[in-house]
Amino acid sequence: MAASEGKTNAVEAVARAFSERLPARIEWVVSLWDSYRRDKDKPALFLFQADVHKLKGTAATYGYSLLAKSLERIEVALIEFRSTDSADFTSLAATIETDIALIRDTKWLPEDSPGHSFN
C-alpha cells in the first residue's frame, strides 16, 4: 500500500466516524438550546454557542456545507444577541428557531454524497 493510499484511508475513516457521530452531536446541540429556552440558563447558552461553533467548522471540513451554513446563522445570531447585552429572549429565539428545526429534522449527508436529501 502506498503512503498516499494509507493517508486517504485514514481521512475517509475519520470522515466516516464524523458522519456516524453527527446525529448524536446534533442531538446534543439541540438539547443545549432546549435547556436554554426552558431555563434561561446562561452557562447552557455559552456551551451552546461553543458547540455550534465547533460543529460548524467540523461540518464544513467534512463536506456538510449546508449544515455549516445553518450553524453559522445560529452562531451569528448568538454573537449579536450577546454583544447587545440584551435579555430579549424572544428576539433570540425568533432568529434561530428555524435553523434549529432544520438542523434537528434533516437527515444530513455530505453534499457530494449520492442521495443527499432534505426530509
Side-chain angles (χ1 to χ4, degrees):
M1 175 189 316
S4 64
E5 285 180 38
K7 192 175 193 177
T8 299
N9 290 342
V11 170
E12 288 173 358
V14 171
R16 190 171 34 259
F18 172 78
S19 294
E20 291 169 358
R21 289 190 315 266
L22 184 58
R25 290 187 70 185
I26 289 171
E27 186 177 325
W28 169 249
V29 167
V30 171
S31 75
L32 291 172
W33 170 248
D34 291 342
S35 175
Y36 176 72
R37 285 187 59 211
R38 182 183 57 249
D39 303 329
K40 309 300 185 280
D41 178 39
K42 288 215 177 203
L45 183 62
F46 297 139
L47 188 55
F48 174 69
Q49 184 175 352
D51 282 14
V52 163
H53 176 78
K54 287 185 277 189
L55 184 55
K56 175 193 75 172
T58 310
T61 298
Y62 292 112
Y64 293 81
S65 60
L66 296 174
L67 173 59
K69 287 177 185 175
S70 290
L71 291 163
E72 182 176 25
R73 285 190 297 266
I74 291 169
E75 184 178 30
V76 167
L78 288 167
I79 290 167
E80 289 175 6
F81 174 73
R82 289 184 57 208
S83 70
T84 62
D85 200 27
S86 169
D88 185 7
F89 171 73
T90 304
S91 175
L92 171 66
T95 303
I96 68 175
E97 194 65 37
T98 300
D99 282 305
I100 289 293
L102 176 67
I103 289 166
R104 181 185 49 237
D105 298 337
T106 300
K107 180 180 178 193
W108 294 102
L109 295 171
E111 280 73 31
D112 60 357
S113 170
H116 177 80
S117 65
F118 291 95
N119 42 7

